[in-house]
Amino acid sequence: MAARARRERAPRTYLPGIADVRICGTQESVRAVLDVLEREFRTTSARPYDDGQRAYLQLDTGCTDPDAD
């Protein structure tokens, strides 16, 4: 079986106090973890893939204040 071509990825930028998070599981477990992280931390919008069984996001580990937006 031939290896599939890698998809093009956007360049990554790293900031102090920012964690890159990858979540894998069932749709329900991924959503449950995202709900908790979004409630407790300032996070980017999760980028779901694999039919909702995986998601990437970033969260600010240095700030747990609710987002004013």
Side-chain angles (χ1 to χ4, degrees):
M1 175 188 261
R4 66 180 178 177
R6 291 186 69 142
R7 69 181 188 281
E8 192 67 30
R9 292 185 182 176
R12 293 183 181 172
T13 303
Y14 297 98
L15 299 171
I18 302 297
D20 287 318
V21 179
R22 180 177 135 189
I23 302 168
C24 303
T26 65
Q27 288 180 349
E28 295 79 16
S29 62
V30 168
R31 185 70 255 161
V33 171
L34 290 174
D35 289 345
V36 171
L37 291 176
E38 291 167 352
R39 186 172 57 243
E40 298 297 325
F41 295 95
R42 297 179 85 175
T43 69
T44 60
S45 297
R47 296 181 307 261
Y49 69 100
D50 234 6
D51 294 324
Q53 294 184 1
R54 298 174 192 252
Y56 285 114
L57 72 149
Q58 292 182 320
L59 61 88
D60 186 344
T61 60
C63 180
T64 57
D65 297 335
D67 193 357
D69 294 345

